[in-house]
Amino acid sequence: MDIFTASLWGITGAAFIASLVKDKQKTFNSMKMAKGMMKNMVGQIIGILLLIGLILTFIPPEVIKSTLGESNTFISTIVSALAGSITLIPAFVAFPLVGSLVDAGASIIPAVAFLTTLTMVGLVTFPLEKREFGLKFATIRNIFSFVFAIMIALAMGVIM
């Protein structure tokens, strides 16, 4: 366990104890609600694990490394960003998926491009956004989000 994980566990424990001291009944009610929410998510979490396993089974690490690896970073970053822009999956599914792709040999820049465009750009939800906020706003927001997602990916590539 690294220092950051230990710190988060310590902060969480301290906040839990402070919550118990302040209002024991509210704390227990919150724990019951969290237990119910976790029961609802167990199926999705198992589905995530199965999806990642299937992807890594059908796509060998050599293919991932050659497609998303260091050899063609520019093209793989653009393709990953476009794929993230048109994909509609929850972020809690995307994080473990991207982690598995990086572990299988994908470069960090395309992986971050996929992840950031997945959460920031919404081509699938564009019609709803256009209807609620207007065409100009939706278009400008998605363009800026795409550009900033690429910038974030490049910055992560430099930092990592």
Side-chain angles (χ1 to χ4, degrees):
M1 183 179 323
D2 61 25
I3 188 72
F4 298 112
T5 306
S7 300
L8 287 175
W9 276 105
I11 292 168
T12 303
F16 180 71
I17 291 170
S19 178
L20 278 173
V21 169
K22 185 173 180 181
D23 192 340
K24 189 181 264 186
Q25 188 59 40
K26 275 187 175 180
T27 302
F28 284 125
N29 287 341
S30 297
M31 295 300 290
K32 287 178 187 176
M33 286 175 50
K35 180 181 171 186
M37 292 167 72
M38 188 63 187
K39 281 182 181 178
N40 292 337
M41 287 179 29
V42 166
Q44 293 176 343
I45 291 170
I46 291 171
I48 293 166
L49 295 174
L50 290 174
L51 176 68
I52 292 170
L54 282 172
I55 288 172
L56 295 177
T57 299
F58 290 117
I59 304 173
E62 299 81 29
V63 172
I64 293 171
K65 193 170 189 170
S66 68
T67 307
L68 299 175
E70 299 288 337
S71 62
N72 54 355
T73 305
F74 178 74
I75 295 170
S76 59
T77 301
I78 298 300
V79 170
S80 296
L82 291 172
S85 297
I86 60 172
T87 306
L88 184 62
I89 57 174
F92 71 89
V93 174
F95 282 106
L97 174 62
V98 168
S100 298
L101 291 174
V102 169
D103 289 343
S107 174
I108 193 74
I109 298 172
V112 171
F114 173 76
L115 192 59
T116 53
T117 55
L118 178 72
T119 56
M120 291 171 59
V121 181
L123 293 184
V124 174
T125 57
F126 186 80
L128 173 67
E129 193 173 344
K130 182 177 88 172
R131 187 179 76 225
E132 295 298 322
F133 301 114
L135 177 64
K136 183 178 178 182
F137 176 84
T139 303
I140 291 172
R141 192 202 67 77
N142 277 291
I143 289 170
F144 275 124
S145 294
F146 188 85
V147 170
F148 281 115
I150 297 294
M151 290 169 56
I152 290 167
L154 293 173
M156 289 298 294
V158 170
I159 293 170
M160 303 302 281

